[in-house]
Amino acid sequence: MSTDPGVTGDPRTLADPLAESLRIVEAADARGLTVRLMGGMAIRAHAPDWTARTRRTEVDLDFATTSRDRAAFYELLAKEGYTPDRQHNALFGRKQAYFVDTARKRPVDVLVDTLEMCHRLEFGDRLGASRPTLPLAELLLSKLQVVRINRKDVLDALVLLAEHPLGQDDGDPDSAHGTGAISLPRIVAITSNDWGWWRTVTGNLDKLDQYLATDFRPEDLDLGQGRDVHFDPATQIASLRAAIEAAPKSTRWKLRARVGERVPWYVTPEEVGHGAL
């Protein structure tokens, strides 16, 4: 039975959301399924003692998988104690599914191959580059693609930049064994081919800089145990911006740049009533 006071129901799920999300990734691995964390638990997996995250009350779990493994992963979640939203999943399950750990009132979103919010981010062929989360470049882009970026997303982006090097690849594929890197080629490939992505990402880098200059507090990047961050976030922002601006732009990018902001360059995400990333 569950050891948590007041919690009844299926005892298989764990009270700690990070431990539970990692348990699910490991269960998927054992079955040969490619499943990775995204959203808040992915950030926490890379900075487990970061106080800005551990103080938050959200318990949502967000997973990424591929179309090949989608059906088997949905079956796995059901076997591991999660109740599917059958109506939602019947309508949208090819791209996104919703489950709930009813006893813990814990929602679970599963995205298949693609994140579609303000911009479209395809990750299906990238899941093998990192474990247990999406590759760091994708995690950072998932924050920097938010046009109306909020303080939570700003801090998530800052901690990723402060804790990981900018590199020419994704670094060690398993964060348990080595340091991952934020792949500059991956980010630049997107921002150099899609003007809309470029406009949103560079605009949000401006907002990160502004936050550091006017609103930053030392506790915002308190990683616990009295240690400092590995990299100066302002320097990382400047290096990332320089790489984005220096990269040659595609013909498609140049044609869209002529139109500029006269035409919307992003999509306003629809509210579906589930937990946000």
Side-chain angles (χ1 to χ4, degrees):
M1 296 296 293
S2 171
T3 59
D4 301 318
V7 173
T8 59
D10 197 304
R12 285 172 291 182
T13 63
L14 304 177
D16 179 76
L18 177 57
E20 173 61 10
S21 59
L22 292 172
R23 183 184 76 86
I24 293 298
V25 171
E26 291 175 0
D29 282 349
R31 290 162 176 77
L33 306 178
T34 303
V35 174
R36 299 292 184 262
L37 298 182
M38 58 192 308
M41 289 305 107
I43 302 295
R44 191 176 292 184
H46 287 288
D49 298 318
W50 180 36
T51 58
R53 265 287 174 188
T54 57
R55 286 196 302 263
R56 297 178 190 173
T57 59
E58 76 230 14
V59 295
D60 302 33
L61 306 186
D62 298 286
F63 296 100
T65 191
T66 66
S67 55
R68 182 196 65 187
D69 293 335
R70 175 189 65 225
F73 183 51
Y74 294 172
E75 292 177 4
L76 171 63
L77 284 173
K79 290 178 181 178
E80 291 299 325
Y82 291 89
T83 302
D85 182 329
R86 297 191 184 281
Q87 181 177 2
H88 175 92
N89 295 354
L91 291 171
F92 306 109
R94 293 185 64 83
K95 298 192 301 182
Q96 189 261 359
Y98 185 69
F99 292 76
V100 178
D101 177 349
T102 305
R104 300 187 190 280
K105 300 179 181 179
R106 176 183 288 158
V108 174
D109 276 298
V110 182
L111 296 188
V112 181
D113 289 330
T114 305
L115 168 65
E116 295 188 61
M117 292 181 68
C118 297
H119 298 278
R120 180 182 177 89
L121 178 62
E122 297 183 0
F123 55 70
D125 62 350
R126 291 272 295 154
L127 296 186
S130 178
R131 184 188 183 281
T133 75
L134 281 180
L136 289 160
E138 274 74 10
L139 284 183
L140 183 59
L141 288 169
S142 75
K143 300 299 176 179
L144 296 181
Q145 61 84 32
V146 179
V147 172
R148 295 179 177 86
I149 195 168
N150 59 29
R151 182 176 180 273
K152 174 178 70 70
D153 293 321
V154 165
L155 291 180
D156 285 347
L158 286 175
V159 81
L160 288 173
L161 288 165
E163 282 293 276
H164 301 282
L166 301 173
Q168 293 304 306
D169 56 29
D170 298 291
D172 195 293
D174 192 332
S175 62
H177 298 149
T179 301
I182 299 168
S183 172
L184 286 175
R186 172 59 171 163
I187 292 176
V188 164
I190 292 173
T191 58
S192 296
N193 189 55
D194 187 314
W195 183 88
W197 262 106
W198 172 88
R199 173 63 184 86
T200 300
V201 168
T202 56
N204 279 334
L205 291 177
D206 289 342
K207 292 174 184 177
L208 264 60
D209 260 337
Q210 182 180 7
Y211 184 88
L212 289 173
T214 62
D215 298 308
F216 179 76
R217 300 169 297 179
E219 57 266 31
D220 288 340
L221 291 179
D222 177 8
L223 297 180
Q225 303 177 16
R227 78 170 180 86
D228 294 327
V229 296
H230 294 307
F231 302 94
D232 173 55
T235 302
Q236 292 280 84
I237 292 168
S239 297
L240 177 55
R241 182 193 303 279
I244 290 172
E245 299 299 354
K249 307 301 188 288
S250 70
T251 300
R252 174 174 177 255
W253 188 100
K254 293 174 183 177
L255 290 172
R256 181 60 183 85
R258 294 177 186 175
V259 178
E261 298 181 22
R262 295 193 301 273
V263 174
W265 64 94
Y266 61 91
V267 175
T268 300
E270 294 182 8
E271 294 291 336
V272 295
H274 302 328
L277 290 173

